[in-house]
């Protein structure tokens, strides 16, 4: 349980879901998911918590319970600095999973993260998501809580797909291995939600983010990462040899030769094999230099994941092919605290650091090399352009041009004056342009303004359940074809509700407008629900008096410009506004003529080009609804859980069609009635979603019995609540 927090200073919630995240001894390079991003978010959390403007930083990541990894990754809370904590959230299977297979479990992560926030007793002032998966989760939480969301992509899916296709990989293979479409969709969602997007380089903004439909240059921030100058500094004449030197020396016939040093994860995109081919093909380099490859830690290569195993096997094969024994070092393991010494060892031999990655969003290793006095040869992509532009400490190169890579390395080794110039430039200018102090100063100065804007509300958590005082569990059902459709089944369900204890609440969630929902319920002799979620989640009302939830309305005002929406869509052929009775304050409804109207994607793009951030819902091949970006039945359910202090495991949700999918997913107890639409088939096998055999209201009854919802609630075969 988190400590209740006072509202003095900023509360920043950071999200970095995949990989192995801990305070000390980071396992960088262990696999493709545990790389520079992990190091950056840990350092950022620590440095932010040291600023007097910040009262708390929580870094949320995935909890891992797996004998193959350190037990620390199963610890729920780990303090990492002054008022900074790693919070580990259970998400999917307990074992360690690569990021590409985490997607089905992210809704669950979002829900549990919100429950954690409730225990803190304070809504974050800012949410910062790192990478696509955290962008999706952070965007969801942001829309629910009304908190400004900031996104850092680190590595972008559209760019990765282009690079892999340029290297000859088939699009179908890319999709199968990397789940790239899901990743790109998550990035688009994050960009659509974020108030600001933090990039490390101008190239990242101009050439990478610009590939996205939701790219908005007015929301881009250029804030380069910082470097810890107390750890990374040039070699000293009087310093003794570090223990890692002995591990490197045992590989080499003459360890005094200049070291060509490369360090990265064992990832195909890092292009390590090309550097080995360059070194092995150059008689000059083989005779006058050594090669040092640090590609993470390894025990048994055969037990590692497929991508890592492939790269490491290729490295060993190339060493043998070019007979680099005595000339190349490729240590089996190293400690994170030894990394600064690796740079100093290479710098002391007058060596060169090489980053031949196919794509490099930033490149913290380049800053580490620069601070250590080691000149660099780096890919002419992303971060290296800005770093070398600022520091003037090396050369850019096409990572596919093996001949040019070799020529640049040879030139730096041969020309001692050039080497010395690059070394000194790096040492001095990295301190000028890349420090954590300047990074945090820029970060807080700009983003604190976002937390002070009036459309963010802080009164979401209600201390007393004044309107639903007796409810400790809640049944929410869609109306058409779920609750209603079979009169005998409906009567049985209503009798079940009547017999249940007073602690069971009842609500409906529907696309119908409020008046229509009330009319159809009265016609079917259904008692007035405790909660109405109507107009596709854009309105919430309570009880017989139909009291409006004003907080939810304020929540939906975020970027909602209905007059401009109507004006912009008046230009589109094939759209006709529905009757006035179907129009709501937070829903604009159209009839759509498929023969004349553009596709939904084209309509979305047209709205985005006009800087309109809305949700577009196309249904039954003839209706188009435009909603605020934060409106949906699923988000409304989660809002209610927070507002009324109900764990999501105590909310049973029933539906039958595709527009119920978001509402059914996550940590709620989902029930899909037997007469469901085909689009819900994809939910088969998802945790906490029960497919009933019976249809309509009888299917809801079956779901209630399955979860033992009116007694000791049973989730996944276990009793979770007394």
């Amino acid at each position: 349980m988190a400590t209740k927090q006072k509202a003095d200073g900023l509360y920043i919630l950071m999200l970095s879901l995949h990989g192995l995240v801990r305070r000390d001894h980071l396992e960088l390079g262990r696999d493709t998911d545990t790389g520079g991003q992990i190091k950056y978010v840990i350092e950022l959390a620590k440095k932010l918590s040291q600023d007097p403007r910040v009262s708390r930083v929580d870094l949320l990541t995935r909890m891992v319970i797996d004998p193959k990894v350190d037990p620390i990754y199963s610890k729920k809370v780990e303090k990492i600095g002054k008022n900074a904590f790693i919070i580990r959230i259970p998400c999917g299977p307990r074992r360690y999973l690569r990021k590409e297979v985490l997607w089905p479990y992210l809704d669950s992560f979002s829900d549990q993260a919100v429950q954690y926030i409730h225990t803190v007793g304070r809504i974050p002032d800012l949410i910062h998501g790192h990478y696509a998966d955290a962008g999706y989760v952070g965007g969801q939480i942001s829309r629910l809580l009304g908190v400004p969301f900031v996104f850092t992509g680190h590595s972008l899916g559209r760019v990765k797909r282009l690079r892999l296709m340029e290297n000859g990989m088939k699009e179908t293979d890319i999709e199968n291995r990397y789940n790239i479409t899901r990743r790109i969709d998550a990035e688009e969602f994050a960009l659509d939600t974020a108030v600001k997007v933090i990039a490390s380089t101008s190239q990242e903004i101009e050439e990478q983010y610009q590939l996205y439909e939701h790219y908005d240059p007015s929301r881009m921030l250029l804030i380069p990462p910082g470097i810890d100058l107390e750890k990374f500094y040039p070699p000293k004449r009087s310093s003794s040899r570090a223990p890692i030197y002995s591990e490197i020396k045992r590989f080499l016939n003459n360890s005094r030769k200049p070291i060509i040093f490369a360090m990265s994860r064992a990832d195909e995109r890092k292009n390590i094999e090309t550097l080995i081919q360059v070194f092995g093909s150059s008689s000059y380099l083989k005779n006058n230099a050594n090669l040092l490859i640090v590609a993470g830690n390894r025990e048994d290569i055969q037990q590692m994941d497929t991508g890592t195993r492939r790269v490491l096997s290729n490295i060993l094969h190339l060493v043998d092919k070019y007979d680099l024994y005595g000339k190349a070092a490729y240590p089996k393991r190293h400690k994170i605290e030894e990394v600064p010494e690796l740079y100093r060892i290479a710098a002391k031999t007058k060596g060169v650091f090489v980053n031949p990655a196919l794509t490099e969003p930033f490149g913290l290793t380049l800053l580490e090399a620069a601070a250590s006095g080691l000149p660099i040869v780096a890919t002419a992509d992303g971060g290296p352009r800005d770093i070398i532009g600022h520091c003037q400490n090396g050369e850019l190169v096409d990572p596919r041009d093996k001949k040019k890579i070799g020529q640049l390395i040879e030139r730096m080794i041969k020309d001692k004056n050039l080497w010395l110039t690059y070394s000194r430039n790096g040492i001095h200018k990295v301190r000028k342009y890349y420090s954590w102090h300047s990074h945090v100063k820029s970060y807080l100065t700009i983003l604190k303004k976002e937390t002070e804007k009036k459309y963010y509300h802080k009164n979401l958590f209600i201390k007393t359940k004044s309107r639903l005082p007796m409810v400790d569990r809640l049944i929410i059902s869609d109306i058409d074809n779920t609750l209603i459709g079979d009169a005998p089944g409906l009567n049985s369900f209503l009798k079940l509700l009547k017999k249940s204890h007073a602690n069971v609440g009842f609500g409906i969630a529907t696309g119908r407008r409020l008046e229509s929902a009330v009319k159809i319920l009265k016609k079917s002799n259904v008692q007035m629900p405790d909660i109405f979620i109507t107009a596709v989640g854009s309105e919430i009302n309570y009880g017989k008096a139909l009291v409006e939830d004003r907080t939810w309305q304020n929540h939906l005002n975020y970027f909602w410009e209905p007059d401009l929406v109507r004006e912009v869509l008046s230009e589109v052929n094939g759209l006709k506004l529905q009757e006035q009775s179907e129009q709501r304050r937070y829903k604009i409804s159209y009839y759509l003529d498929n023969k004349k109207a553009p596709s939904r994607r084209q309509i979305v793009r047209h709205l985005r080009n006009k800087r309109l951030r809305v949700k577009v819902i196309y249904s039954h091949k003839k209706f188009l609804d435009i909603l605020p970006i934060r409106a949906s039945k699923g988000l409304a359910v989660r809002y209610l859980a927070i507002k009324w202090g109900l764990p999501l495991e105590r909310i049973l949700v029933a539906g039958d069609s595709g527009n119920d999918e978001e509402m059914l997913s996550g940590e709620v107890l989902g029930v899909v009635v037997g007469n469901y639409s085909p689009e819900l088939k994809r939910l088969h096998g998802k945790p906490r979603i029960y497919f009933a055999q019976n249809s309509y209201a009888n299917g809801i009854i079956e779901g209630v019995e399955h979860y033992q919802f009116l007694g000791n609630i049973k989730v996944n075969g276990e009793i979770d609540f007394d």
Side-chain angles (χ1 to χ4, degrees):
M1 185 70 70
T3 304
K4 296 291 183 180
Q5 291 291 301
K6 295 181 179 179
D8 297 329
L10 294 175
Y11 171 26
I12 299 174
L13 186 79
M14 294 174 59
L15 297 156
S16 183
L17 274 59
H18 63 263
L20 295 169
V21 182
R22 64 184 179 188
R23 180 184 63 194
D24 300 316
H25 311 299
L26 302 180
E27 299 187 68
L28 302 181
R30 175 190 172 114
D31 57 28
T32 57
D33 289 354
T34 308
Q37 173 187 327
I38 306 297
K39 184 174 183 178
Y40 170 74
V41 295
I42 289 288
E43 289 298 320
L44 179 59
K46 289 179 181 177
K47 301 299 182 184
L48 285 172
S49 72
Q50 294 168 6
D51 192 285
R53 291 170 287 182
V54 177
S55 65
R56 182 183 180 103
V57 180
D58 283 337
L59 171 56
L60 272 58
T61 190
R62 180 172 173 265
M63 180 182 286
V64 178
I65 304 174
D66 190 331
K68 295 180 181 178
V69 303
D70 194 293
I72 189 66
Y73 302 118
S74 65
K75 187 177 180 181
K76 185 170 183 179
V77 180
E78 182 183 5
K79 188 170 184 177
I80 57 174
K82 180 186 177 183
N83 300 321
F85 306 87
I86 296 172
I87 308 297
R88 297 187 177 91
I89 304 290
C91 174
R94 291 184 168 192
R95 69 183 183 276
Y96 183 54
L97 297 174
R98 60 188 178 90
K99 60 180 177 292
E100 287 82 7
V101 298
L102 285 178
W103 296 108
Y105 313 112
L106 296 188
D107 287 322
S108 173
F109 190 103
S110 299
D111 289 343
Q112 293 192 67
V114 170
Q115 290 298 312
Y116 166 75
I117 293 168
H118 190 68
T119 68
V120 175
R122 177 184 174 188
I123 296 178
D125 296 285
L126 186 74
I127 297 172
H128 188 172
H130 298 267
Y131 193 79
D133 47 13
Y136 174 79
V137 170
Q140 290 279 36
I141 298 172
S142 166
R143 292 184 179 196
L144 177 61
L145 300 186
V147 173
F149 171 62
V150 176
F151 178 56
T152 300
H154 290 278
S155 172
L156 297 176
R158 289 192 187 277
V159 177
K160 178 171 183 173
R161 183 168 62 185
L162 287 172
R163 294 286 190 273
L164 291 172
M165 289 175 68
E166 287 172 1
N167 273 359
M169 194 171 183
K170 294 180 180 178
E171 194 165 0
T172 53
D173 292 337
I174 296 171
E175 185 63 36
N176 292 335
R177 185 183 299 182
Y178 297 109
N179 214 339
I180 204 76
T181 299
R182 188 72 181 270
R183 173 176 167 181
I184 291 170
D185 287 345
E187 289 164 344
E188 291 282 10
F189 174 78
L191 291 171
D192 191 30
T193 307
V195 296
K196 295 294 179 184
V197 178
I198 295 179
S200 301
T201 68
S202 53
Q203 188 261 3
E204 188 181 356
I205 295 173
E206 296 162 4
E207 298 181 20
Q208 297 184 25
Y209 279 106
Q210 198 170 27
L211 298 173
Y212 287 77
E213 291 181 7
H214 297 124
Y215 166 72
D216 181 351
S218 68
R219 287 186 279 138
M220 302 301 299
L221 291 179
L222 179 57
I223 310 179
I227 183 173
D228 191 340
L229 298 173
E230 293 181 2
K231 293 180 180 177
F232 296 93
Y233 52 83
K236 300 175 182 177
R237 291 183 181 180
S238 58
S239 61
S240 58
R241 295 288 191 183
I244 190 66
Y245 177 72
S246 299
E247 175 65 15
I248 296 169
K249 187 177 179 180
R250 72 184 182 89
F251 284 90
L252 306 173
N253 294 333
N254 182 356
S255 61
R256 295 179 179 273
K257 292 180 180 179
I259 290 176
I260 313 305
F261 179 28
M263 181 170 64
S264 69
R265 303 189 310 274
D267 185 323
E268 291 172 333
R269 293 171 299 166
K270 298 303 180 181
N271 201 29
I272 303 170
E273 296 98 319
T274 290
L275 177 59
I276 301 174
Q277 291 167 350
V278 167
F279 187 89
S281 301
S282 168
S283 57
Y284 177 84
L285 292 178
K286 284 195 292 185
N287 291 328
N288 295 279
N290 291 317
L291 180 64
L292 171 59
I293 301 293
V294 177
N297 292 317
R298 61 185 187 274
E299 294 299 332
D300 183 353
I301 292 177
Q302 294 303 315
Q303 299 300 315
M304 304 184 85
D305 68 78
T306 303
T308 303
R309 184 169 65 245
R310 185 185 298 112
V311 172
L312 291 175
S313 297
N314 286 345
I315 288 173
L316 298 178
H317 168 74
L318 290 169
V319 168
D320 188 73
K321 175 182 177 180
Y322 291 105
D323 192 16
L324 300 181
Y325 301 106
K327 301 172 183 178
Y330 35 97
K332 193 176 181 70
R333 61 183 67 87
H334 67 283
K335 299 175 182 177
I336 188 68
E337 56 267 26
E338 292 175 324
V339 168
E341 287 295 341
L342 291 170
Y343 291 107
R344 286 192 281 271
I345 289 168
K348 203 161 189 175
T349 67
K350 300 293 191 292
V352 178
F353 183 79
V354 182
N355 179 337
L358 298 174
T359 177
E360 184 57 79
F362 186 70
L364 281 173
T365 55
L366 300 178
L367 296 183
E368 293 168 354
S372 305
L374 192 59
I376 60 179
V377 173
T379 179
D381 177 83
R385 292 186 184 180
D386 283 13
I387 292 171
I388 291 179
H390 283 136
C391 296
Q392 297 295 303
N393 66 326
E395 299 286 347
L396 296 170
V397 67
D398 182 339
R400 299 172 189 80
D401 191 340
K402 297 175 185 177
K403 182 178 179 181
K404 186 66 174 179
I405 294 172
Q407 289 173 344
L408 291 174
I409 296 171
E410 287 184 22
R411 180 184 170 212
M412 288 187 193
I413 292 174
K414 290 177 180 177
D415 190 335
K416 302 302 180 185
N417 290 329
L418 179 65
W419 188 96
L420 189 60
T421 298
Y422 283 156
S423 176
R424 288 174 174 171
N425 284 349
I427 293 168
H428 296 303
K429 293 188 177 183
V430 78
R431 284 158 174 74
K432 179 179 179 181
Y433 294 105
Y434 300 100
S435 72
W436 272 115
H437 174 75
S438 60
H439 182 87
V440 168
K441 181 180 179 181
S442 298
Y443 184 103
L444 290 176
T445 300
I446 297 170
L447 297 181
K448 194 173 187 300
K449 295 176 183 177
E450 295 296 330
T451 70
E452 296 166 350
K453 292 183 178 177
K454 62 182 180 181
Y455 48 75
Y456 298 116
H457 61 86
K458 300 293 177 64
N459 299 317
L460 188 60
F461 293 135
I462 304 298
K463 293 182 178 179
T464 59
K465 303 175 185 178
S466 59
R467 283 177 282 186
L468 296 168
M470 301 298 292
V471 168
D472 73 353
R473 63 196 71 194
L474 182 63
I475 297 174
I476 296 180
S477 174
D478 184 24
I479 295 180
D480 299 285
N481 297 316
T482 302
L483 182 67
I484 292 174
D486 174 51
L490 174 59
N491 289 333
S492 298
F493 174 71
L494 295 177
K495 288 178 182 178
L496 184 68
L497 274 182
K498 193 172 183 179
K499 289 180 182 178
S500 66
H501 299 294
N503 62 339
V504 180
F506 172 52
I508 57 98
T510 178
R512 288 174 176 261
R513 67 186 190 279
L514 179 62
E515 297 82 357
S516 174
V518 170
K519 184 177 180 180
I520 190 68
L521 291 176
K522 285 183 176 179
K523 182 179 179 181
S524 302
N525 295 316
V526 177
Q527 66 192 53
M528 287 292 281
D530 301 296
I531 297 169
F532 287 86
I533 301 171
T534 57
V536 205
S538 63
E539 297 175 15
I540 297 176
N541 297 77
Y542 298 99
K544 294 180 180 180
L546 302 177
V547 176
E548 295 179 348
D549 191 317
R550 301 275 183 170
T551 306
W552 181 245
Q553 291 181 358
N554 293 336
H555 186 70
L556 297 185
N557 281 329
Y558 177 72
F559 278 114
W560 179 236
E561 301 177 82
D563 291 339
L564 187 56
V565 169
R566 282 185 281 265
E567 179 184 336
V568 167
L569 290 184
S570 67
E571 308 165 0
V572 178
N573 291 329
L575 291 183
K576 179 184 176 183
L577 280 167
Q578 294 182 28
E579 294 78 11
Q580 188 59 37
S581 61
E582 294 300 323
Q583 309 300 330
R584 311 297 291 183
R585 180 178 177 183
Y586 297 105
K587 181 173 76 76
I588 304 173
S589 296
Y590 291 87
Y591 293 114
L592 184 145
D593 186 338
N594 278 298
K595 294 180 181 179
K596 298 179 181 178
S599 67
R600 177 188 176 279
R601 178 176 285 274
Q602 289 172 320
I603 292 172
V604 169
R605 186 178 295 115
H606 180 61
L607 289 164
R608 298 301 180 233
N609 288 339
K610 300 293 185 178
R611 299 285 180 87
L612 287 167
R613 301 170 69 185
V614 295
K615 187 169 288 185
V616 179
I617 298 177
Y618 174 54
S619 58
H620 301 287
K621 298 184 179 180
K622 60 179 179 179
F623 300 128
L624 192 79
D625 291 320
I626 311 298
L627 306 173
I629 195 70
R630 289 176 171 171
S632 78
K633 292 195 288 186
L635 287 175
V637 169
R638 283 150 179 83
Y639 164 85
L640 289 167
I642 297 169
K643 181 161 187 171
W644 298 105
L646 281 174
L648 289 169
E649 295 89 343
R650 284 183 173 251
I651 300 177
L652 184 147
V653 177
D656 71 284
S657 65
N659 62 18
D660 298 318
E661 181 175 349
E662 181 191 12
M663 181 173 71
L664 290 162
S665 300
E667 291 293 291
V668 297
L669 306 182
V671 177
V672 178
V673 293
N675 55 297
Y676 65 88
S677 300
E679 59 261 31
L680 289 184
K681 284 184 178 180
R682 59 174 170 262
L683 296 183
H684 265 296
K686 272 199 168 189
R688 301 197 180 191
I689 296 183
Y690 175 70
F691 278 76
Q693 297 297 313
N694 292 313
S695 299
Y696 304 105
N698 280 322
I700 304 175
I701 295 172
E702 184 182 333
V704 168
E705 293 171 348
H706 170 76
Y707 291 115
Q708 297 181 10
F709 194 71
L710 300 183
N712 295 324
I713 299 174
K714 185 172 71 172
V715 181
N716 297 333
E718 298 181 359
I719 303 297
D720 275 16
F721 298 97
D722 295 324

